Amino acid sequence: MSDCIFCKIIAGEIPSTKVYEDDKLLAFRDINPQAPVHILIIPKTHYDSVNALDEKSAPIVADIMLLAAKLAKENGLDSGYRIITNIGDDGGQTVKHLHFHLLGGVKLSEKMA
Ligand code: DGP
């Protein structure tokens, strides 16, 4: 997607602080961190959101969850963390490329909304 910020980050056209990369996934620090650790995990293939997944593509979410747990461990989030994906305008999604927020390093609010 030529006008997608995260596709541009994947392509190296926009700089980011990468913490992990392989052939399928990229993880980088959020530009506007909401917690001491705030990492975004994205698939290199563009999907607008969870809504764009199907049975063939959905296993990427399992890959993302496993990477999130690995990055949480590497970042010392031993007492817990949160994984969030926002979907659509009411869900607060501002970047229309599937992404999961990994948040931790502080006691997070019990409020979800
Ligand atoms: P969401 O609201 O769920 O769509 O989250 C999008 C997140 O992406 C938001 O926390 C800020 C982050 N973000 C937006 N543009 C950039 C960027 O150019 N670089 C980085 N590192 N993060 C970005």
Side-chain angles (χ1 to χ4, degrees), residues 50-106:
V50 166
N51 284 346
L53 297 174
D54 58 20
E55 285 191 7
K56 187 159 177 273
S57 55
I60 196 71
V61 176
D63 295 333
I64 290 169
M65 291 300 120
L66 291 173
L67 177 57
K70 173 181 148 74
L71 293 175
K73 194 167 187 186
E74 285 178 6
N75 282 270
L77 306 182
D78 300 325
S79 50
Y81 57 94
R82 184 169 292 160
I83 299 167
I84 294 172
T85 189
N86 294 326
I87 300 156
D89 291 340
D90 281 3
Q93 184 183 11
T94 59
V95 178
K96 303 296 194 274
H97 181 125
L98 177 66
H99 56 279
F100 289 74
H101 300 256
L102 169 61
L103 296 152
V106 69

Side-chain angles (χ1 to χ4, degrees), residues 5-6 9 28-31 40 86 92-95 99 101:
I5 292 171
F6 287 177
I9 287 176
F28 54 97
R29 305 255 174 216
D30 196 290
I31 204 168
L40 298 172
N86 294 326
Q93 184 183 11
T94 59
V95 178
H99 56 279
H101 300 256

Side-chain angles (χ1 to χ4, degrees), residues 16-69:
S16 67
T17 306
K18 294 179 186 176
V19 295
Y20 179 87
E21 182 166 20
D22 65 21
D23 56 331
K24 289 190 286 192
L25 302 178
L26 179 66
F28 54 97
R29 305 255 174 216
D30 196 290
I31 204 168
N32 181 25
Q34 307 287 317
V37 175
H38 188 168
I39 293 169
L40 298 172
I41 306 174
I42 67 174
K44 288 189 170 177
T45 300
H46 182 97
Y47 305 102
D48 281 0
S49 76
V50 166
N51 284 346
L53 297 174
D54 58 20
E55 285 191 7
K56 187 159 177 273
S57 55
I60 196 71
V61 176
D63 295 333
I64 290 169
M65 291 300 120
L66 291 173
L67 177 57

